[in-house]
Amino acid sequence: MNDEARARIAANDRLLKAVITLLAIKDPDLLDELDVIFAVASEQGNPIGEADRRTREHLREELDLIRSLAHSALETAH
């Protein structure tokens, strides 16, 4: 993978996290609902729920990071 592709992936990753954080600020239940979606998808064998251990851990870490950022933003706004 070249530097341009890495830069695009990193930018897209950050933009996606920012959008999810913004949505979570506007809808505090959003991240819990995402957890439910992943759990139901996993139970039903849906590809959204299929992930190896490392991917699940990374997803959990990302959602925790977004939860923390959204919580901080809400605290700062009030």
Side-chain angles (χ1 to χ4, degrees):
M1 184 179 313
N2 65 30
D3 290 342
E4 179 65 24
R6 281 190 199 89
R8 285 184 185 272
I9 289 168
N12 287 337
D13 179 64
R14 284 165 179 76
L15 285 170
L16 184 55
K17 286 177 188 164
V19 168
I20 294 169
T21 302
L22 179 60
L23 291 171
I25 291 167
K26 297 197 175 285
D27 178 1
D29 295 326
L30 176 79
L31 298 175
D32 292 336
E33 292 167 352
L34 278 175
D35 286 335
V36 170
I37 288 170
F38 287 122
V40 169
S42 179
E43 290 172 5
Q44 294 181 355
N46 186 292
I48 292 171
E50 293 176 1
D52 61 22
R53 180 191 56 77
R54 287 176 48 197
T55 301
R56 282 192 305 272
E57 286 175 9
H58 185 67
L59 180 59
R60 182 189 50 76
E61 290 169 2
E62 295 293 321
L63 288 174
D64 287 347
L65 174 83
I66 291 168
R67 271 188 181 88
S68 177
L69 182 57
H71 179 74
S72 295
L74 285 171
E75 289 295 315
T76 301
H78 291 111

